Amino acid sequence: MLSVFNSKTSIIIGCVAFILLQMLILSFAAADWELVTQLPTERVNFATAVVDNKVYLIGGSLNEDVRALPPIVPGPFGLSTVDEYDPQTNRWRRRADMPTPRHGMRSAVVDGIIYVFGGYNAKDNKIWNMKLIRHVEAYNPKTNRWIKKGNMPVSRIGFDLGVIAGRVYLIGGSTGVGAEHEVAMSRVDVYNPATDMWGKAPDMPTRRDPDNVAVVNNSLYVIGGWPPAAAGRQILTVIEAYDPINHQWEKKQDMLAAKFGFSTIVIGDEIYLIGGVPGLHIPRQYLATVDVYHPRTETWRDIPSLPVPMRPFGAVAVNGKIYVFGGVGEGWEFFPDVLVFDTGFRAVEATGKLLTRWGGVKGEPKN
């Protein structure tokens, strides 16, 4: 009798576990983007950084100053504004202004300190008055203070960067603004925050303004971008990976399709390419798709698309969630929305050894 009772109990527990598992899989498969807040400052081309699960939006330019379309060169360029967003409370607060107002810079985080590199600014709409900035400035969120660091070795724009083992790798970029001044580089400079010193790494095989750089398993992946102006303004689909231990570059399979202006974030061992522009068509077209690249297998998948096609201004990952901060769409329409998508991935904590959510059984999202 007891064995029968145990048998029935096991069947019931098994059924309940199966139902819960199916519900969990369906909840992941049905996941979609959620609008959680809006940008406190309507600006574009700012830098983003994450420290202690808080997101920092740095610099950029006011949307009202740059919304004019070519052939008019808009301006002025350059803000000092720093906004902090707390995903847990869904609240914003202003922080200390960056010392140098700038637009189009890049940021990196090392040991809880945010480092801001390069960019440019201008007080009017004359392209010849745009000034490239070599400044490196460091922000400590705990003290809310900025410190000046050693300048970049060369002025550059359109570069990107990645952090490995406490060092910041600045990759590619151009030497000037405007087609007649742009000379895309293959140069790779390495910054050591601990010593405030610069070094060099082997040149990237493909000279370009990289659209995005991502770090997975201590390798840098340079994805897409633009070749030198003299080579024609064709969007690149090239993916190249750099191994800083062996100091070697390796060519990977190309992107699925040419596009630029997308944002990238890394969750787990995968790189997410969010939104962007599929070509040089006039009027300009925009994408809502999110492509997910697995570097080890060089395979692709996708997750649910953004609510609207856009070129995102910034994207970050916090606790397995993707946050997209504003963007621009067809007709230079400004989107101030902050969107979030939960991938279901949770890193294993050293103390608990259990995932907050069971990422291993998440359903494959479909568009």
Side-chain angles (χ1 to χ4, degrees), residues 50 98 100 102 152 154 172 187-188 208 211 235 239 273 283 314 353:
V50 178
M98 178 170 52
T100 305
R102 40 183 149 171
M152 297 160 53
V154 297
R187 179 178 180 131
V188 179
R208 52 177 150 168
D211 228 316
I235 307 170
I239 300 177
L273 282 59
K353 301 297 183 185

Side-chain angles (χ1 to χ4, degrees), residues 106 156-162 169-174 183-188 204 206-214 221-228 233 235-236 238-240 249 255 259-262 264 311:
R106 296 291 186 265
R156 67 215 293 182
I157 191 172
F159 64 94
D160 206 356
L161 51 76
Y169 292 77
L170 271 62
I171 299 176
S174 292
V183 180
M185 298 183 285
S186 56
R187 179 178 180 131
V188 179
M204 177 172 50
T206 303
R207 292 171 56 197
R208 52 177 150 168
D209 292 2
D211 228 316
N212 279 279
V213 172
Y221 290 84
V222 185
I223 303 172
W226 299 89
R233 302 307 280 173
I235 307 170
L236 297 174
V238 178
I239 300 177
E240 291 167 337
W249 285 91
M255 300 167 57
K259 62 177 178 178
F260 70 95
F262 54 91
T264 60
R311 178 177 183 172

Side-chain angles (χ1 to χ4, degrees), residues 27-362:
S27 70
F28 278 112
D32 211 340
W33 291 88
E34 179 186 1
L35 193 161
V36 292
T37 184
Q38 292 188 323
L39 301 176
T41 306
E42 290 199 357
R43 51 175 162 162
V44 305
N45 280 17
F46 48 82
T48 56
V50 178
V51 178
D52 292 334
N53 292 334
K54 292 184 174 63
V55 186
Y56 296 85
L57 274 53
I58 304 167
S61 292
L62 293 175
N63 177 56
E64 63 187 32
D65 292 334
V66 301
R67 61 188 174 189
L69 298 176
I72 300 171
V73 178
F77 294 98
L79 292 174
S80 296
T81 306
V82 178
D83 292 315
E84 177 193 86
Y85 173 67
D86 186 343
Q88 187 172 1
T89 63
N90 197 31
R91 291 184 178 179
W92 294 90
R93 67 170 174 168
R94 281 290 298 273
R95 306 301 281 159
D97 284 355
M98 178 170 52
T100 305
R102 40 183 149 171
H103 173 106
M105 59 279 156
R106 296 291 186 265
S107 64
V109 177
V110 179
D111 294 332
I113 305 298
I114 302 172
Y115 295 84
V116 179
F117 300 84
Y120 61 97
N121 59 26
K123 295 182 179 179
D124 53 35
N125 63 354
K126 295 180 174 60
I127 194 168
W128 51 85
N129 285 343
M130 293 182 185
K131 179 183 178 182
L132 293 188
I133 296 169
R134 293 175 56 196
H135 297 346
V136 179
E137 291 165 341
Y139 174 69
N140 187 335
K142 292 182 179 179
T143 63
N144 194 31
R145 291 184 178 179
W146 288 87
I147 298 176
K148 177 80 168 61
K149 295 293 184 177
N151 285 347
M152 297 160 53
V154 297
S155 299
R156 67 215 293 182
I157 191 172
F159 64 94
D160 206 356
L161 51 76
V163 178
I164 295 179
R167 286 171 170 77
V168 186
Y169 292 77
L170 271 62
I171 299 176
S174 292
T175 55
V177 180
E180 69 275 17
H181 303 293
E182 291 181 13
V183 180
M185 298 183 285
S186 56
R187 179 178 180 131
V188 179
D189 292 300
V190 186
Y191 176 66
N192 185 347
T195 61
D196 196 27
M197 300 290 290
W198 289 88
K200 286 290 297 295
D203 285 355
M204 177 172 50
T206 303
R207 292 171 56 197
R208 52 177 150 168
D209 292 2
D211 228 316
N212 279 279
V213 172
V215 176
V216 178
N217 292 328
N218 290 327
S219 289
L220 289 155
Y221 290 84
V222 185
I223 303 172
W226 299 89
R233 302 307 280 173
Q234 296 299 316
I235 307 170
L236 297 174
T237 59
V238 178
I239 300 177
E240 291 167 337
Y242 176 66
D243 178 354
I245 297 177
N246 298 315
H247 309 288
Q248 291 182 344
W249 285 91
E250 179 185 0
K251 188 179 186 310
K252 298 293 185 178
Q253 293 182 19
D254 283 0
M255 300 167 57
L256 293 177
K259 62 177 178 178
F260 70 95
F262 54 91
S263 290
T264 60
I265 58 98
V266 174
I267 297 179
D269 293 334
E270 295 182 308
I271 304 171
Y272 292 69
L273 282 59
I274 304 166
V277 181
L280 303 178
H281 316 285
I282 300 297
R284 181 157 289 176
Q285 300 174 358
Y286 294 85
L287 297 170
T289 52
V290 181
D291 301 319
V292 187
Y293 173 63
H294 196 294
R296 182 177 58 82
T297 59
E298 295 194 69
T299 55
W300 296 83
R301 63 181 181 89
D302 57 20
I303 64 171
S305 297
L306 295 165
V308 292
M310 71 165 76
R311 178 177 183 172
F313 295 139
V316 301
V318 180
N319 289 330
K321 295 181 180 180
I322 303 171
Y323 290 83
V324 174
F325 293 88
V328 63
E330 184 178 351
W332 197 258
E333 182 181 359
F334 180 86
F335 298 111
D337 299 339
V338 177
L339 304 170
V340 61
F341 179 85
D342 192 347
T343 67
F345 177 86
R346 296 292 184 270
V348 177
E349 298 293 339
T351 54
K353 301 297 183 185
L354 290 175
L355 299 178
T356 304
R357 294 178 68 175
W358 193 2
V361 299
K362 65 184 179 184

